[in-house]
Amino acid sequence: MSAIILLLGASLSVAALFLGAFIWSVRHHQFDDGFSPPRRILFDDHQPVSSDTPLNGPQARVRRTDINDTLNQN
Amino acid sequence: MQIEKFYYDNRTVKWFGYAVMFWGVVGMLAGLWAAVSMYYPAMNLGIPATTFGRMRPVHTNAVIFAFVGNGIFMGVYYSLQRLCKARMFSDTLSRIHFWGWQLIIVAGAITLWAGKTTGKEYAELEWPLDIAIAVIWIVFGINMFGTIIKRRESHLYVAIWFYIATWVTVAMLHIVNSVELPVSMWKSYPVYAGVQDALVQWWYGHNAVAFFLTTPYLGLMYYFLPKAADRPIYSYRLSIIHFWALIFIYIWAGPHHLLYTALPDWAQSLGVVFSVMLIAPSWGGMLNGLFTLRGAWDKVKEEPVLKFLVVAITCYGMATFEGPMLSLKNVNAISHFTDWTIAHVHIGALGWNGFLTFGVLYWLVPRMWNTPLYSKKLAGTHFWVGTLGIVLYAVPLYWAGFTQSMMWKSFTPEGQLRFQFLETVTHIIPMYVTRSIGGALYISGALIMVYNLFKTIRKGSFVANEAVEAAPLPAKIATHGRTYWHRWIERRPMQMLVFSLIVVAIGGMIELIPTFLVRSNIPTITSVKPYTPLELQGRDIYIREGCYLCHSQMVRPFRDEVARYGEYSKAGEFVYDHPFQWGSKRTGPDLARVGGKYPDSWHFNHMMDPSSMSPGSIMPSYGWLFDNELDTSRTEKMVRAMQKLGVPYPDGYAMEQANKDLAAQEKNIHASLQSDKIHAGSNKEIVALIAYLQRLGKDIKSAPKEQTAMKDADGRDVMGN
Amino acid sequence: MVPCSHMATTTDKKTTCDHCGDPCTIHPIKWGEKVFCCEGCRTVYQLLDRSGLCDYYRLNEKPGLSHAHSSRHEKFAFLDDVKMAAPFILFQDAQETHARWYLPQMHCSSCLYLLENLHRLDPGVIASRVDFAAKEVTVLFDHSRIRIRQVAELLTAAGYEPYVSLRDLGGTKPVGTRDNIYRLGVAGFCFANIMLLSFPEYFGLGTSEEALRGVFRGLNLALSLPVFFYSAQPFYRNAWSGLRTRFLNIDAPIVLAILVTFARSMYEVLSGTGPGYFDSMTGIVFFMLAGRMLQDRTHRRLSFERDYRSYFPIAVSVLTEGKETPRSLPEIQCGDTLLIHHGELIPADGILTRGQALIDYSFVTGESLPIPKEMGELVYAGGKQTGAAIEVLVVKEVAQSYLTQLWNRQENKKEEYSFIHVLSRQFTYIVLAVAVCAAVYWWAYEPARIVNAVTAVLIVACPCALLLSSTFTNGNILRILGNNGLYLRNARVIEAISTTTHIVFDKTGTLTLPGDHVLTYKGRPLEPAEQRAIAILAAQSTHPLSKALAHHLEMAEPCRVLGFKEIPGKGAEGWVDGTHVMIGSRRFVTGSRAITTDTRVYVRVNGEYPGYFCCSSHYREGIARWMHVLRGRYSLSLLSGDNDRERSRLEGWMGKGSRILFNQSPENKEMYIRHLQRLGERVMMVGDGLNDAGALRQSDIGIAVADSGNSFTPASHAILDATQIRHLPVFMRYCRMAGRIIIASFILSIVYNIIGLSFAVRGDLSPLVAAILMPASSLSILLLTYGSATWAARRLGLKLSTADEKDHVGD
């Protein structure tokens, strides 16, 4: 049944590949935080995109003052 | 580093979406056609292309690789971009991928209709297309990994892992199973023969189900279900475990397709064990999916998308529960070769793959054309029609399968078989009719969807490029004191490519070398001889017409099968079968021992008009075999190829000796036909086919008794049930 | 994007803030159709509204954080100082800076959403990333456009004030090691594949396929190497450290078993006599690692190791020639003058040089009421100033201050070994005995078999089962307790709790709700007008009792108080439209010198004295009930830093038998614990705050009560969510069950061992038998422990999972 060897080799090398992937993902903190990832994917739909003027200019200044309000009034 | 504004590519998703709808309908219609021809043989209109034997591979390939395949790509191209917060790696590759894949599908359909097939289920496409598939698959791979590498979101969501697994494993399966030796442009023979070929084929066959129909769709489920329900997956940890567990176990479940066959017992048991183990991760995934909707069932009531997803997941659960059951030896003894299997796979195909795809389509189209769905009501109708379709499809087939199996196995008190094979077929024809109605319903549901989506598209405005903003991943990340380069790969693409190529090469060597070292030790039977050139020709016709789709060539060691067909099959009988033709379904009787059972004239008439020989037969007539000239110019190539594959023809046999023998054998058959007052035109295909059929199972009969006795000693003995 | 106006406002009888969901005070702030409890909440809402981040409100019902009391503007001034900002900066180059902060307030997906969209609040921020498990946010920003201080303020403005403490200066956060995960992964991979490759032989891969069998065995051997040399390392290490200290811990016999199994399998394969026991070996290693992992899973956001530095600010404002400058705490020297604002902690012992101090020492001493200090008096570190800012002249450096001393006192407790180890030792002796017997027997009859038999015995009967049962049980129990608000430092605590004999409680903050008072009026009924006048006066005063009074009378529409005068520690007086009102101590109001044991606020309206408000601490729900339960089983004591005005009430709950001591200094508490331990009691101390720190550490089990997930607790063995304290008896009962579960599953494993041994002693333990026994026992133990732990939890009515509905998104 020499075919077995072929299948075995193929399967083993793929399995080994995935072991590598597993170690990579642990090393890169993929599984550290089980709370955020499943929720994060739900956010992207709600992303409003700023009109072509990037996020500075007038609006930005408005915001900076807001922040100061928030802090000041305490 | 700055926040980057970029665009998701929806156009490719749109194309794949259209392809899904188109091929879905086409594939299902092909299925319906095949289903009808099972009780109305004339359905083939006397044309080869529309005969069941060619329609069925068209159907399976269309729904698997065209409908589901495009479904995978549609879902992946949509979700991967969003999960990675990046546009697909290269628009050009996306385009190549799309058109390449559609081309393969078209070519595949045409060649299959033309009878160009390898004769290995779910891998029927011939070698040029195998190569094309590999190429396009690699294009897809580059596009996918490229996107993953340039992603802006550091975490790889579990769905992406499922996509990766799909790509890697399918690549491996496709390559390993397509190791074949081309004979001509559209003909090739697999390297392995008989038992080994069967093992490889079903190792592939099962994993195709696992990694083409299951893992990618699980990935889609893990993305689209939370999106549609607008709530996070029930347990992310569970989904990760689900992934790693599934990956490991699936690989080895293959052999359960070969229980009681000539495959070594230990390999069969291995298949059973792993199939049974599969239930754990599968159900883990299903429950994870269903629990996600806890507290949201009110939403399910009015949201069609969720309705489809729920049924899809439930069907996944049913199929993954039934699978392991079917792989238990005693259940398999009943179910195998019957319509039970067909019902089982259609629960998966219609329920899991079909409904999940519909759900995704209903979710995607309104978003990409940003407009609400044209009609929720129609979607609801589709849902109910489709569900009813599934029920009407599956239930009769389960019934048919079980009934037929019982009839096969029933004996009279005198120990005679109670039913002729044909009786068991005619008995279940009503079920076949109902099944085709179910199928028709399912298709009409799909058509309703197409209309609904078409109207939606008409009223919406397509967003080809969806604008997004996100910051790229920082090149350098510091985590709790430790800093490391995050995307070193990205900074050395070239080295990475070379490196991975080397790795793959080494892997290949490791795999192949031992194959040559370990000599195949199938118990050989001295009386088993290579096929004669004419028989080889006949065998190719047998394969071309897809006979293996209705007729098995594997007598299992059961009392009824031995009584009905003769001595059970031995591994040693198939050492020259490139490819093996064991088959997986017995719409007609087994042919492993048909050789010499009937006179040549019987076969001649039977092929001309089956019902003349066996009234009520649902086999179509193969008139064209009586007109087509036999292409003897191929003989030499065929024999050479077989020699290359280790079939012991004498040296130089291929040159002219082969065709000499061919002519001689043909003359004999003509003679025997003459004796029955039949005149076959000279050098017609029918003769070759008759030659092949008459050869089947002969060798072992002619074998000296003690030799077969010795064979019996190799483990299996006839079991009564 | 959902415009905010579309979001639903719940307008039930009791209006709650649309931002934070807190009940709104008498005068809610209106903004559009929104209602807010305070200005803070309103501005945050406004901020998000303008930045189009209103999904924040869509994702969860009123997810915001109350702004009623947040910090002063200058708080993060110190971040302008490069040196002091350093600990928060992970990485910095020419353009960008990566900074990380700890935000204990994080609690739901809305927080996640908002914190990862900071770049929409301020153009200077490039990106932000949340690690929810650690409750940390990493902000990448362009420091040419926004200063790190402004980022901190941005977070504060959004309602997530970074928690900065002196500890951050220490820098080194514990680096969570991942080795065990790798070990587990490798073991799992090898085990699974070895199992796969062993099956064919078990299923009767005949001699017909020599070559294949060779390949399979070879692969098995190769695959077992990583497990033997890498994955199993922790066991070797533990065993060795045990042996070095002359203690035969549970790992020793396990290592022995691993070695023997490996050696014999090697021999069998290399000599071609058999397939070996690689699958059993790798399997057991895998399961044991998994168990250890489950047991050692720590609560990342909790710290059981806090010292005083977690409580102290990272910097304080120092007055140098009248100018206020932030300076990092370690740099404070004697002679510096510190400016302490309202609600800030006094970081070092010093002398009050300006302002009227009203210092809340509840955290240090347990005294529930703030203590007034006059100029020139000595103020101790750890107190919180309430009221106007004060100036303090430092006399002792932070490291020397009374509080720090108290905290740093080192205790030397001997390490106790769990009963598991003791049990395993006996077990090991028995196994060795069996092995010897087998050896002797075969020596007599068939010497050839000795090696077989002995090795087989050692392979089958290793106490791995015991280790599995304990680790899996403990793991489950830790998890379930955690879900119910009791977080244990490690598994050993479970056992310790189950053996407790005596429980000692602290009063303030443990049994009572911190800083909350109940007022009861005694005297002739007050007319509305009088009540109103009193309330208005009380509202003017900063003293907590006055605040309580104002709240109690529940009418605070602002109105001018003429000639308002407040004498710290005495009381306040003033004219409220024509009526003269006086509130305060008996002496201040009535002039009588009589001393009262309980706390009273006397009132006087236009010279006439109608009565007084009697003030008592606010106790947690249902103390009587659970105290009674505990009383049945344990002896109890109560130690309070407070005075004994509530003795009678407490005695009522705790019963005559138990000791109740008042005016206890932290030292007293610690000594009392020691005293009990000398009497052979196993003491559990339940307390909060610094004043219990010593006692908590001294006791066999110190449980620190935390009032909200993010409030800070002293070093302890366990942290208990204050709202769950009523379940204490249940928790303790659950811990007691743990022991039984472990024993039960161990007995089960003994059964398997006996079966295995019966084969082993005969010297014919087939790999198949081993391969069946090993996973069978492991799995059944796993199921038993998990099942019984869950069953027990359900029976005791404990929550099995933390499925909080806040999480679901949308609608």
Side-chain angles (χ1 to χ4, degrees), chain B residues 1-3 152-155 229-232 234 237 248 252 264-267 269-270 273-274 277 294 299 469-472 474 476-483 514 518-519 521, chain C residues 58 90-91 95-96 98 100 119 125-127 129 131 136 140 142 145 173-175 178 192-193 195-196 199-200 203-205 208-209 211-212 215-216 300 803 807-811:
Chain B
M1 188 169 91
Q2 262 312 328
I3 298 186
R152 293 183 181 76
E153 158 66 51
S154 61
H155 180 83
D230 200 7
R231 50 178 52 214
Y234 170 68
R237 198 160 254 94
F248 170 69
W252 283 105
D265 284 348
W266 62 265
S269 316
L270 195 65
V273 170
F274 276 83
M277 281 203 263
R294 79 196 187 293
K299 262 192 197 166
E469 279 174 350
K476 195 156 184 225
I477 290 277
T479 324
H480 294 286
R482 187 190 295 137
T483 70
V518 180
R519 54 160 191 65
N521 36 26
Chain C
R58 202 185 63 82
L90 300 170
F91 166 79
Q95 316 83 27
E96 71 195 64
H98 306 183
R100 175 180 293 137
H119 61 276
V125 175
I126 298 162
R129 181 91 180 162
D131 179 345
E136 288 176 332
L140 284 61
D142 173 349
R145 303 174 72 182
K173 283 215 180 64
V175 178
R178 299 195 149 53
N193 285 292
M195 190 174 65
L196 162 71
F199 276 143
F203 293 141
L205 166 65
S208 58
E209 279 144 316
L212 265 187
V215 174
F216 288 167
R300 271 175 73 201
D807 269 5
H808 91 82
V809 177
D811 291 320

Side-chain angles (χ1 to χ4, degrees), chain B residues 20-21 24-25 28 67 74 217 304-305 308-309 312 349-365 379 382-383 386-387 390 442-443 445-447 449-450 453:
Chain B
V20 172
M21 295 189 240
V25 173
M28 293 172 199
F67 175 58
M74 168 182 72
Y217 266 51
V305 176
F308 279 102
L309 295 185
L350 303 174
W352 167 240
N353 294 114
F355 268 35
L356 200 107
T357 317
F358 299 150
V360 172
L361 278 168
Y362 279 121
W363 192 82
L364 277 185
V365 170
H382 173 195
F383 173 76
T387 315
I390 296 178
Y442 192 83
I443 297 172
L447 290 169
M449 174 189 74
V450 173
L453 293 181

Side-chain angles (χ1 to χ4, degrees), chain B residues 640-654:
Chain B
R640 281 197 193 291
M642 287 300 167
Q643 281 174 314
K644 273 211 200 64
L645 297 173
V647 181
Y649 293 101
D651 299 347
Y653 179 72

Side-chain angles (χ1 to χ4, degrees), chain B residues 224-230 293 296-311 358-364 366-367 372-373 375-377 379-380 383-384:
Chain B
F224 287 100
L225 179 66
K227 289 300 243 181
D230 200 7
L293 298 166
W297 292 103
D298 49 332
K299 262 192 197 166
V300 178
K301 272 198 218 71
E302 81 269 356
E303 180 48 61
V305 176
L306 287 178
K307 282 204 194 109
F308 279 102
L309 295 185
V310 169
V311 171
F358 299 150
V360 172
L361 278 168
Y362 279 121
W363 192 82
L364 277 185
R367 264 165 194 71
L373 187 64
S375 156
K376 272 194 173 188
K377 218 161 152 306
F383 173 76
W384 288 114

Side-chain angles (χ1 to χ4, degrees), chain A residues 1 4-5 8 12 15-16 19 22-23 26-27 29 32-36 39-40 42-43 46-48 55-56 60 62-74, chain C residues 39-40 43 47 50 55 58-59 70 73 109 112-113 116 119-123 129-133 145 150 153-154 157 178 182 185 189 193 197 209 212 216 219 300 807:
Chain A
M1 294 297 293
I4 298 267
I5 307 282
L8 201 65
L12 270 184
L19 178 66
F22 175 76
I23 289 172
V26 174
R27 175 156 294 143
H29 309 274
D32 282 10
D33 178 3
F35 180 91
S36 319
R39 286 160 184 77
R40 227 172 247 136
L42 300 172
F43 295 154
H46 318 310
Q47 287 236 356
L55 267 170
N56 41 24
V62 171
R63 287 172 194 165
R64 184 60 58 74
T65 54
D66 285 348
I67 294 163
N68 293 334
D69 300 348
T70 328
L71 295 163
N72 287 330
Q73 55 74 40
N74 302 312
Chain C
E39 274 300 312
T43 35
L47 182 65
R50 290 199 201 160
D55 283 330
R58 202 185 63 82
L59 294 169
S70 64
H73 194 180
S109 44
L112 182 66
Y113 173 75
E116 295 202 337
H119 61 276
R120 311 246 291 279
L121 292 182
D122 189 293
R129 181 91 180 162
V130 167
D131 179 345
F132 203 92
R145 303 174 72 182
Q150 291 169 311
E153 287 170 354
L154 174 67
R178 299 195 149 53
Y182 298 137
F189 168 79
N193 285 292
L197 294 168
E209 279 144 316
L212 265 187
F216 288 167
L219 281 169
R300 271 175 73 201
D807 269 5

Side-chain angles (χ1 to χ4, degrees), chain C residues 695-710:
Chain C
L696 284 170
R697 212 170 1 165
Q698 175 57 37
S699 56
D700 302 278
I701 287 297
I703 296 185
V705 172
D707 241 289
S708 62
N710 51 51

Side-chain angles (χ1 to χ4, degrees), chain B residues 592-615:
Chain B
R593 302 257 179 269
V594 79
K597 200 168 179 185
Y598 308 103
D600 295 349
S601 56
W602 186 92
H603 285 293
F604 186 93
N605 296 328
H606 186 256
M607 296 308 292
M608 179 72 83
D609 173 13
S611 49
S612 67
M613 289 292 104
S614 39

